[in-house]
Amino acid sequence: MKRILIVEDDISIAEIQRDFLEIEGYNITIVTDGLEGYKTAKAEKFDLILLDLMLPNMNGIDICRGIRGEVDVPIIMVTAKGDETDKIRGLGLGADDYIAKPFSPTELVARVKANLAQYERLKSKMGDGVGGDKRANQLNAGSVSINLSTHRVHVHGEEVDLKNKEYELLVFMAQNPDMVFSKEHLYERIWGMDSFGDLKTVAVHISRLREKIEKDPQNPAHIETVWGAGYRFKI
């Protein structure tokens, strides 16, 4: 049974989240204090974290920043509708996705299922590569080298730290060079949903990826913007 941690100070919202997720068979833990949520996320094993931004004693941004290096599971930020700055900050700190209040239970369940499924597929791909042909598990794209077995990425020989969705975006685009992908296509392919979600999520992850693999992120050599169409990876 998958375990989900809900860090939400509004107990009525947390209980609604819990009820609908328990119907789907998930085991739910609710924490209403930010600092306690931070400690719980680090001390216990969860498969996904639903993290509100506005919390007592420690906000969601600081929690995400503090746990992301140690907790390798999907994090979905819960934000106020229209609060673009916090959405971008959360995604930039390693959150995989976000959902804006008020949201429908159907959307919540869809986001949780999609993020868990994508995470499982990524881990499965990593496991499949262990012990195989090292050359077959190595993807070289210009200055970028990707080890598909170990999930490690090097740029000009230096290792860079990519979050889960950043890594998935890079691998997908590098495996399909010169092809133009719209934000909608990338969202559906990487996040696993075609009807929910804000396409700013894609733009923020592309921006973060450029900062990590491009010598000059403002004039990218690899991830090009094709105006009016989407993005293209150049080797």
Side-chain angles (χ1 to χ4, degrees):
M1 183 179 292
K2 299 291 186 184
R3 295 191 69 203
I4 296 175
L5 173 63
I6 297 175
V7 188
E8 168 64 68
D9 63 325
D10 188 327
I11 190 62
S12 62
I13 292 177
E15 288 177 344
I16 291 172
Q17 294 174 331
R18 178 198 63 197
D19 292 347
F20 279 91
L21 290 170
E22 283 185 342
I23 289 172
E24 298 296 325
Y26 300 114
N27 182 291
I28 307 300
T29 298
I30 295 175
V31 177
T32 57
D33 177 83
L35 184 57
E36 188 63 29
Y38 171 76
K39 294 178 180 178
T40 303
K42 293 186 69 174
E44 299 184 36
K45 171 64 177 175
F46 294 96
D47 297 286
L48 182 142
I49 298 172
L50 275 169
L51 181 60
D52 190 36
L53 279 180
M54 302 303 293
L55 295 162
N57 296 317
M58 189 174 188
N59 64 47
I61 293 293
D62 289 337
I63 294 173
C64 189
R65 180 187 292 113
I67 68 175
R68 192 25 118 188
E70 302 176 40
V71 178
D72 182 26
V73 300
I75 297 175
I76 301 178
M77 303 287 286
V78 181
T79 71
K81 189 173 183 179
D83 202 344
E84 301 298 326
T85 301
D86 284 336
K87 292 174 185 176
I88 292 171
R89 288 179 66 198
L91 292 170
L93 289 169
D96 296 279
D97 200 2
Y98 69 83
I99 185 169
K101 298 178 183 177
F103 51 81
S104 71
T106 300
E107 181 182 3
L108 171 68
V109 171
R111 292 289 186 89
V112 167
K113 285 184 174 180
N115 276 278
L116 283 170
Q118 290 294 97
Y119 181 75
E120 288 298 321
R121 280 194 286 272
L122 176 62
K123 289 301 181 183
S124 176
K125 289 177 183 177
M126 290 175 62
D128 290 343
V130 175
D133 185 340
K134 291 184 179 180
R135 291 173 298 177
N137 293 325
Q138 191 77 18
L139 177 61
N140 296 311
S143 62
V144 181
S145 176
I146 307 167
N147 189 305
L148 301 174
S149 299
T150 63
H151 196 156
R152 299 175 73 176
V153 177
H154 291 78
V155 180
H156 295 294
E158 296 292 327
E159 185 169 4
V160 296
D161 177 34
L162 299 185
K163 310 307 180 189
N164 288 330
K165 291 295 189 294
E166 295 168 354
Y167 175 80
E168 290 185 70
L169 268 173
L170 176 61
V171 170
F172 177 67
M173 296 186 73
Q175 287 177 329
N176 298 278
D178 296 322
M179 293 184 64
V180 178
F181 296 104
S182 67
K183 291 179 182 178
E184 290 84 358
H185 185 107
L186 290 173
Y187 193 86
E188 181 177 354
R189 177 63 177 76
I190 304 302
W191 279 262
M193 293 168 281
D194 59 0
S195 58
F196 295 119
D198 191 324
L199 296 181
K200 292 184 183 68
T201 303
V202 176
V204 171
H205 278 79
I206 289 289
S207 177
R208 293 288 295 177
L209 190 51
R210 281 173 171 161
E211 290 176 7
K212 295 179 179 182
I213 72 167
E214 300 282 4
K215 183 176 181 180
D216 181 1
Q218 300 304 314
N219 296 285
H222 291 299
I223 303 177
E224 298 181 338
T225 297
V226 181
W227 296 108
Y231 302 100
R232 172 173 55 204
F233 191 92
K234 300 290 288 184
I235 294 179

